[in-house]
Amino acid sequence: MLELRPNCECCDKDLPPEATDALICTFECTFCADCVDNVLGGVCPNCGGNFAPRPIRPAAKLAKYPPSTRRVLKAEGCGPRKAA
């Protein structure tokens, strides 16, 4: 089951289950579209993978399958990705 994390790991913006600007990588790292586009250059700083839109869980399923309440924030910050 997809975790549906509640915030952007970079800027801590709230990303509720219905957010259309939430993006995830294959490890469910969660970032807002603004940080992915303008800070991260489309590359996950945790795993080096790309991003895809996070699916929206239907509201009728949220009671039985609630989103995560655990906020994840990069303690070292989330600056521009360094060139390889």
Side-chain angles (χ1 to χ4, degrees), residues 24-55:
I24 59 172
C25 73
T26 61
F27 291 96
E28 298 182 36
C29 303
T30 304
F31 296 90
C32 70
D34 186 52
C35 286
V36 167
D37 293 340
N38 299 312
V39 178
L40 303 174
V43 179
C44 179
N46 300 324
C47 70
N50 66 331
F51 290 97
R54 183 181 73 187

Side-chain angles (χ1 to χ4, degrees), residues 50-79:
N50 66 331
F51 290 97
R54 183 181 73 187
I56 294 174
R57 187 165 298 156
K61 300 289 185 185
L62 289 173
K64 186 172 181 179
Y65 305 104
S68 174
T69 58
R70 182 178 67 95
R71 296 180 81 85
V72 177
L73 190 61
K74 293 186 68 55
E76 69 277 8
C78 198

Side-chain angles (χ1 to χ4, degrees), residues 5-34:
R5 295 178 185 166
N7 66 305
C8 173
E9 292 183 32
C10 188
C11 71
D12 203 29
K13 174 182 178 179
D14 289 336
L15 295 171
E18 69 277 3
T20 58
D21 64 334
L23 299 168
I24 59 172
C25 73
T26 61
F27 291 96
E28 298 182 36
C29 303
T30 304
F31 296 90
C32 70
D34 186 52

